[in-house]
Amino acid sequence: MQLRGTTVLVTGASYGIGAALARSVAQRGATCVVLMARSADALGHVAETVTAMGARALPLAVDLTDDAALASAVHTLLAETGVPDVVISNAGSGRWLAIDETEPAEARAMMAMPYFAAFTLTRLLIGPLLARGAGHLVYVNSPAALLPWPGACAYSAARWALRGFAEALRADLHGTPIMVSTVVLGMVESQYFAHNPGVAERIPRLARRVLPPLSTDQAAAAILDGIERRRRLIIAPAALRGLFWLHAVTPWLVRRLTLAGGWRRGVSGEP
Ligand SMILES: NC(=O)c1ccc[n+]([C@@H]2O[C@H](COP(=O)([O-])OP(=O)(O)OC[C@H]3O[C@@H](n4cnc5c(N)ncnc54)[C@H](OP(=O)(O)O)[C@@H]3O)[C@@H](O)[C@H]2O)c1
């Protein structure tokens, strides 16, 4: 699907990868970009850039974990722009913590964002998408959805939930014209690490050694290239594809390397 002339919804569009996606979508000729996130001011700045690039911008400040607020935002979106052609569920957060460092409330919050937010947004839009008979649903995820590593227990579980949802949704939608893609990105130089303290320190050595960090613009370009080429699984950078391939062939080796250079408990088992 070419993005020229389309309406694209991007969640988490106030900062980082989402803001870069919004700008890049406009650059590729989208007619309208709908922006969702909580920070109204930051969304406004991104919307101004999108408008300056010649696309219509509809910023909707919403907490995606608030079902009623999200339903109201989707109502506004459908009334103002009609059914989006592409929906990119990109918003995400979550600290990397071992199980005994994670309060149950924080584990639930990590499921609320990104998994339940993506589920609810999709649930609200699926009827209109099916009625229109076209659409592309895209879920931005982490390598933790394929390769778990130590010290990020609830985070990994939430990313597996998001990946499982996308896979099951594709099966649900089999035979319909709605396409489903998962995006898996390595390290991206965004404010994620400032927004989620402690994450940067727990990146396994293997990832630091073999995965060159992407800029947010590079991540956005990889995602949009994948959408335009109708890829079901979009992986960037290329070295990450190699790592997944190695994991498929010799899972024990990648597991050993991930554990060897990852977060470790103290000698008495304490975090
Ligand atoms: N950075 C990386 O290395 C990396 C690697 C792989 C995957 N990812 C994934 O890529 C996505 C984007 O991350 P990023 O690096 O751009 O991080 P970021 O700079 O922290 O941006 C996260 C975005 O999500 C939004 N968000 C968070 N909670 C929200 C909520 N409850 N309701 C609405 N919006 C919410 C934030 O906006 P507000 O705060 O304004 O609400 C912000 O726009 C995430 O899903 C992340 O897991 C990142």
Side-chain angles (χ1 to χ4, degrees):
M1 170 196 279
Q2 291 306 302
L3 290 163
R4 181 162 296 283
T6 57
T7 293
V8 180
L9 164 59
V10 181
T11 73
S14 51
Y15 302 110
I17 299 165
L21 276 169
R23 292 190 299 267
S24 306
V25 158
Q27 213 163 32
R28 292 185 189 219
T31 313
C32 179
V33 189
V34 184
L35 314 155
M36 286 186 183
R38 291 166 301 185
S39 314
D41 289 351
L43 271 188
H45 292 309
V46 181
E48 276 170 26
T49 314
V50 165
T51 310
M53 293 167 117
R56 178 179 174 204
L58 177 63
L60 295 169
V62 59
D63 182 341
L64 290 153
T65 65
D66 178 337
D67 289 355
L70 181 52
S72 162
V74 168
H75 183 77
T76 306
L77 138 74
L78 292 172
E80 295 268 331
T81 69
V83 187
D85 299 285
V86 182
V87 178
I88 308 179
S89 288
N90 160 77
S93 60
R95 295 195 295 155
W96 295 3
L97 300 166
I99 183 157
D100 34 355
E101 296 171 317
T102 314
E103 293 299 330
E106 186 161 0
R108 285 194 195 93
M110 286 195 232
M111 289 298 274
M113 168 55 67
Y115 165 57
F116 278 114
F119 172 88
T120 307
L121 178 63
T122 306
R123 172 94 173 54
L124 288 164
L125 284 169
I126 200 68
L129 285 164
L130 285 168
R132 204 256 317 272
H136 193 157
L137 296 161
V138 182
Y139 301 93
V140 177
N141 211 325
S142 148
L146 290 120
L147 304 173
W149 54 75
C153 204
Y155 169 88
S156 292
R159 266 43 185 192
W160 280 65
L162 184 62
R163 174 183 160 212
F165 170 60
E167 292 293 321
L169 180 67
R170 186 178 299 120
D172 258 21
L173 293 171
H174 178 69
T176 77
I178 311 300
M179 173 143 193
V180 178
S181 297
T182 285
V183 176
V184 183
L185 300 170
M187 267 178 306
V188 182
E189 287 160 338
S190 73
Q191 288 170 308
Y192 191 90
F193 304 97
H195 293 155
N196 300 277
V199 168
E201 294 76 8
R202 290 194 178 186
I203 296 171
R205 196 164 56 224
L206 176 67
R208 288 184 192 282
R209 290 232 170 114
V210 303
L211 301 180
L214 299 170
S215 69
T216 53
D217 284 337
Q218 286 171 323
I223 295 169
L224 299 184
D225 287 349
I227 291 172
E228 291 196 322
R229 291 178 190 149
R230 301 180 62 76
R231 296 269 190 269
R232 286 175 167 201
L233 184 58
I234 301 165
I235 301 175
L240 189 57
R241 278 199 290 279
L243 195 58
F244 290 147
W245 177 85
L246 189 64
H247 182 249
V249 180
T250 51
W252 60 270
L253 176 63
V254 176
R255 201 162 42 238
R256 191 173 291 179
L257 291 170
T258 312
L259 290 174
W263 172 86
R264 277 191 189 199
R265 288 178 179 276
V267 276
S268 51
E270 79 280 10

